[in-house]
Amino acid sequence: MSFKDLKLIKPLLKAIEASGYTEPTLVQERTIPVILEGRDVIVSAQTGTGKTAAFALPILQQLFDKQDAPKRGKKIKALIISPTRELALQIQQNFKNYAQFSNLRSLVIFGGAAIEPQVDVLKKGVDILIATPGRLLDLHKQDYINLDKVENFVLDEADLMLAMGFIDDVKKIERLCPEEKQTLLFSATIPYKIEELANSILKNPERIDVTPTQSVAQDVSQVLYYVPKRRKIELCLHLLRNSIKGNVIIFRRTKFGVKKLEERLAEKGYRVDSIHGDKNQSDRQTALNKFKNGYVKILIATDVAARGIDINELDNVFNFDMPNQAETYVHRIGRTGRAGNIGNAYSMCSADEKNYIKTIENYINVQIPVEKEHPYPLDPNAKPTVHKKKGSKYKKGRKSEASKKKKKRWY
Ligand code: AMP
């Protein structure tokens, strides 16, 4: 199938060609015609499948079709809600790109950035608004945003929206839009709460399941290393030196973990940057740009900060900590092996994370290949480390000299 078969109009085909896309991805093939018919859709697709274009192109086409007014009154006609700033920025990048041969104007708004420049653009008028929920409601309350003319309403990464506690905000935003509109919901997974949300705001939607949530891109080669927790840093350095070629995103569970690892790798001379919740938007964006343009080859991230970010040609994903949710594993490793590239997913598992592996393997229905040949193997009988609470009876008394000399732990 070609983009022409999808009945896309010339200015869009030109922009698609300029982007270097030769044929639609599966989600585009299945979703674009349904959106062009004006139907509501629930699409279960992960980042990396081309889902942004799957809604951006038909929305733009619908807006193009309405270009009969000689001077477009710039009223917000398409509203896209995104859970994170990074994703919001990427969505706008997509819209800008596909709308390059038109007069359609888009704006992205999110918290943590100065409000005035966003207000200035809003005052001039935009056709397409991409927003995180909090900032949108904030600007609406201040009367800078009018959603009365919204015709296309998109919820992207709805499951993350749920995880981040935005569902009530999303419902509020939906009520600010006209009743008559097309609603498109995209989510990597469709948990019960999302199903409920969809039932309450979508009208007779078409369901499109492109990638079953459990499926891991076939172009990702996975490998698992069992390693004692305190040896993870050494194994990480060993793999960076000997196995990992190209760029890599290293995932850690906590901000604290991200910062510690960043310090340690920088000490070892690696050019590295990070994104986590303690960084402001502009620092996160700088880190992302440095990684995207190849200035740093290693980016360390927490899940929430990294969710949805689109980096072309990502060679490797490295799970320094195993995620405790199978879906998170799928999301993390879904970042590599995208749009036809081959990727590698390295995972390190310590004794206390073994249970997560079982859950993940059940979820993805695949056994992750284990690499036993490495310098820091985990004793198969090793018991999970028990972290004693401060002040517990086990802690009382003086520390032995040996324990004082113990190396710093890696968490
Ligand atoms: P997304 O799932 O929207 O984050 O898209 C993932 C990546 O695929 C982005 O870098 C897009 O630019 C790219 N992409 C989208 N559609 C196509 C296509 N039809 N052919 C090749 N790459 C695409």
Side-chain angles (χ1 to χ4, degrees), residues 3 10-22 98 100-101:
F3 279 104
K10 277 209 181 112
L12 292 179
L13 291 174
K14 223 163 113 185
I16 289 167
E17 198 183 333
S19 308
Y21 307 165
T22 48
Y98 308 136
Q100 59 182 294
F101 302 108

Side-chain angles (χ1 to χ4, degrees), residues 218-392:
Q218 289 183 346
D219 298 341
V220 181
S221 123
Q222 304 174 66
V223 59
L224 178 61
Y225 298 84
Y226 284 103
V227 53
K229 192 164 214 129
R230 67 198 154 77
R231 291 305 190 102
K232 279 191 169 183
I233 181 64
E234 286 147 282
L235 180 57
C236 172
L237 288 167
H238 172 80
L239 293 173
L240 285 173
R241 265 194 309 269
N242 301 299
S243 307
I244 298 176
K245 304 275 175 284
N247 61 6
V248 55
I249 293 190
I250 305 182
F251 284 98
R252 296 225 56 185
R253 209 163 21 235
T254 64
K255 304 184 260 206
F256 171 75
V258 169
K259 289 181 207 167
K260 282 210 81 166
L261 183 60
E262 184 178 4
E263 266 172 40
R264 187 67 186 267
L265 293 185
E267 271 168 29
K268 290 280 171 192
Y270 286 98
R271 252 199 241 154
V272 53
D273 214 319
S274 64
I275 48 173
H276 54 76
D278 277 354
K279 281 199 167 178
N280 67 26
Q281 176 57 21
S282 115
D283 288 346
R284 287 194 210 184
Q285 202 53 47
T286 309
L288 204 55
N289 289 344
K290 281 203 286 192
F291 188 68
K292 279 186 171 184
N293 65 27
Y295 182 74
V296 300
K297 292 265 187 241
I298 305 174
L299 185 70
I300 313 172
T302 55
D303 291 299
V304 168
R307 181 78 186 258
I309 59 174
D310 166 35
I311 294 161
N312 283 325
E313 293 164 32
L314 174 60
D315 305 305
N316 306 282
V317 165
F318 191 114
N319 294 308
F320 195 102
D321 305 308
M322 286 314 291
N324 56 5
Q325 301 249 332
E327 290 94 333
T328 309
Y329 178 81
V330 174
H331 280 302
R332 285 184 182 182
I333 79 167
R335 255 138 240 304
T336 182
R338 302 171 77 170
N341 299 320
I342 299 284
N344 301 294
Y346 297 84
S347 299
M348 295 196 291
C349 175
S350 50
D352 55 328
E353 294 170 318
K354 277 183 175 172
N355 281 341
Y356 304 157
I357 302 293
K358 277 188 217 138
T359 317
I360 292 167
E361 289 183 336
N362 283 340
Y363 185 72
I364 60 176
N365 211 11
V366 167
Q367 223 178 346
I368 309 171
V370 175
E371 177 56 70
K372 291 189 178 146
E373 296 302 311
H374 68 85
Y376 311 102
L378 177 69
D379 171 359
N381 300 317
K383 295 270 181 306
T385 324
V386 177
H387 302 297
K388 290 154 197 156
K389 278 189 188 154
K390 263 191 192 160
S392 93

Side-chain angles (χ1 to χ4, degrees), residues 110-126:
F110 43 75
I115 214 158
E116 295 77 18
Q118 300 180 355
V119 168
D120 287 346
V121 183
L122 277 169
K123 281 182 182 160
K124 285 182 200 145
V126 296

Side-chain angles (χ1 to χ4, degrees), residues 64-79:
F64 266 97
D65 284 353
K66 288 168 195 147
Q67 286 197 89
D68 47 356
K71 193 162 182 244
R72 293 184 63 75
K74 298 279 178 204
K75 297 263 162 50
I76 299 163
K77 285 177 278 315
L79 174 64

Side-chain angles (χ1 to χ4, degrees), residues 3 16 19-25 27-28 46-54 87 90 94 97-98 308-312 338-339:
F3 279 104
I16 289 167
S19 308
Y21 307 165
T22 48
E23 54 183 31
T25 63
V27 66
Q28 291 161 5
Q46 295 168 30
T47 309
T49 53
K51 69 181 168 68
T52 315
L87 184 62
Q90 264 168 222
N94 274 252
N97 186 18
Y98 308 136
I309 59 174
D310 166 35
I311 294 161
N312 283 325
R338 302 171 77 170

